[in-house]
Amino acid sequence: GQQLNQSPQSMFIQEGEDVSMNCTSSSIFNTWLWYKQDPGEGPVLLIALYKAGELTSNGRLTAQFGITRKDSFLNISASIPSDVGIYFCAGSYSGNTPLVFGKGTRLSVIA
Amino acid sequence: DTGVSQDPRHKITKRGQNVTFRCDPISEHNRLYWYRQTLGQGPEFLTYFQNEAQLEKSRLLSDRFSAERPKGSFSTLEIQRTEQGDSAMYLCASSRTPRRDRGNEQFFGPGTRLTVL
């Protein structure tokens, strides 16, 4: 099925560094969601975005809904070891269309 | 804990057997979704319910798969005559009915990992 292009696929960073990842789609979306998944668990919702250009924060996490409505970005500031995991973007055109997920960005934090 | 729950967490079965998974959504959520996730991939949509009505099914949902939500609360996903290719994590999510022209925040359960030998 359709998937979003998410990059980078993986990142190794030092504790305390900032992290950026992004997601692009060939289709316009009206909703972008960012999730984090730990091994053997389900994805946990981090941030939801509903308007083009919207910038939303959740603690050290900040996400933006791209102006073209075809991309979104997630930034993590001052990374800590518990930020380790796989981050997924997901988008949908409307509430009645399924969520489409990226393949994830695997984040490793070196203490 | 009032989150989404799934049972069992793990299932190992032999090829050709039938398996059934259960999902209990967040109590005030009337939408329930099933996804499949394989290694290195994001979740892929299978089907969803609005209350007891199954509103959409993905092409991934072959005729060996059937999902029900008989009373609009918990849901079951059954796979008949399992194949090795069915091995995956099966995730359930729930949400409120989304507002018009806006997506919905979906909350996931811990998943059921299926291994078909």
Side-chain angles (χ1 to χ4, degrees):
Chain A
Q2 179 189 3
Q3 285 199 328
L4 305 177
N5 294 315
Q6 194 170 346
S7 65
Q9 286 187 330
S10 62
M11 304 179 73
F12 289 83
I13 61 169
Q14 293 278 350
E15 184 177 357
E17 287 184 350
D18 297 344
V19 173
S20 291
M21 59 190 79
N22 69 79
C23 200
T24 60
S25 168
S26 57
S27 306
I28 289 174
F29 286 141
N30 289 311
T31 296
W32 284 96
L33 305 175
W34 284 91
Y35 289 87
K36 177 177 182 276
Q37 187 174 28
D38 293 328
E41 299 294 331
V44 173
L45 182 63
L46 300 173
I47 292 180
L49 301 158
Y50 295 110
K51 290 182 183 178
E54 180 181 4
L55 192 68
T56 297
S57 293
N58 178 7
R60 294 177 296 105
L61 277 61
T62 301
Q64 183 163 23
F65 193 136
I67 290 290
T68 65
R69 294 196 289 158
K70 291 185 176 181
D71 56 6
S72 181
F73 306 86
L74 177 70
N75 296 316
I76 305 173
S77 62
S79 57
I80 59 178
S82 63
D83 291 334
V84 166
I86 302 177
Y87 292 79
F88 289 99
C89 60
S92 72
Y93 181 75
S94 78
N96 295 319
T97 55
L99 279 180
V100 177
F101 281 80
K103 291 188 176 184
T105 293
R106 181 181 295 273
L107 179 64
S108 300
V109 178
I110 304 166
Chain B
D1 183 23
T2 56
V4 178
S5 62
Q6 293 186 245
D7 183 69
R9 293 292 309 274
H10 303 275
K11 178 71 177 179
I12 299 174
T13 191
K14 292 183 179 178
R15 189 176 53 187
Q17 298 293 307
N18 299 343
V19 294
T20 300
F21 309 141
R22 176 179 170 127
C23 171
D24 287 87
I26 293 171
S27 58
E28 61 266 30
H29 287 180
N30 51 12
R31 285 204 174 178
L32 186 149
Y33 309 80
W34 285 100
Y35 291 83
R36 183 177 71 184
Q37 186 178 27
T38 54
L39 200 62
Q41 303 293 318
E44 293 178 291
F45 169 78
L46 292 178
T47 188
Y48 87 92
F49 293 83
Q50 169 94 9
N51 300 314
E52 64 275 9
Q54 189 172 16
L55 294 188
E56 186 165 346
K57 292 192 284 187
S58 161
R59 290 175 301 167
L60 293 175
L61 210 67
S62 77
D63 56 7
R64 295 184 298 105
F65 288 67
S66 62
E68 294 183 343
R69 195 183 183 198
K71 297 182 179 179
S73 56
F74 73 91
S75 175
T76 57
L77 177 68
E78 182 183 17
I79 308 174
Q80 296 182 328
R81 304 181 303 280
T82 53
E83 301 172 356
Q84 288 185 323
D86 296 332
S87 296
M89 174 81 92
Y90 289 85
L91 292 162
C92 175
S94 71
S95 75
R96 302 178 189 275
T97 302
R99 299 189 320 197
R100 186 165 172 248
D101 295 330
R102 284 183 69 157
N104 45 349
E105 297 177 14
Q106 296 182 21
F107 296 87
F108 283 82
T112 295
R113 179 164 295 285
L114 172 66
T115 301
V116 182
L117 301 176

